[in-house]
Amino acid sequence: MIHSSLIHKLVERGEFSITYIAKDGHLVQSSRVVCTSFHAVGRTMNIKFCDSEEIRTVRRCTITEINGQEVVL
């Protein structure tokens, strides 16, 4: 298990896998993403999908898993 306060340390190392809950409630899973920016005050981070090069903003509280490890609040 990983505490959500440690997410910034994991994503600064480059490519990682992630699972998070989208706005409509479904799980989004990707095995290859990188963090393009991390907003500590705003509680969000921007991730870039390596395969499609799409960039999305993700609220950190919606992340359920990083690199196969469960994220807890």
Side-chain angles (χ1 to χ4, degrees):
M1 272 192 242
I2 301 169
H3 193 271
S4 61
S5 64
L6 300 176
I7 291 174
H8 69 284
K9 291 184 179 184
L10 295 172
V11 301
E12 69 187 6
R13 298 181 189 157
E15 212 172 277
F16 58 95
S17 65
I18 190 169
T19 303
Y20 65 93
I21 302 169
K23 283 184 180 181
D24 63 3
H26 76 276
L27 284 179
V28 177
Q29 298 176 326
S30 182
S31 59
R32 297 183 60 227
V33 297
V34 292
C35 180
T36 60
S37 61
F38 191 87
H39 307 281
V41 177
R43 301 179 303 199
T44 63
M45 60 189 267
N46 290 333
I47 59 171
K48 179 179 180 181
F49 293 83
C50 294
D51 297 331
S52 66
E53 297 190 4
E54 177 183 4
I55 296 176
R56 290 190 186 179
T57 300
V58 176
R59 292 183 64 207
R60 291 192 313 265
C61 64
T62 65
I63 298 172
T64 59
E65 190 175 282
I66 290 185
N67 290 336
Q69 296 184 30
E70 182 182 5
V71 176
V72 295
L73 297 177

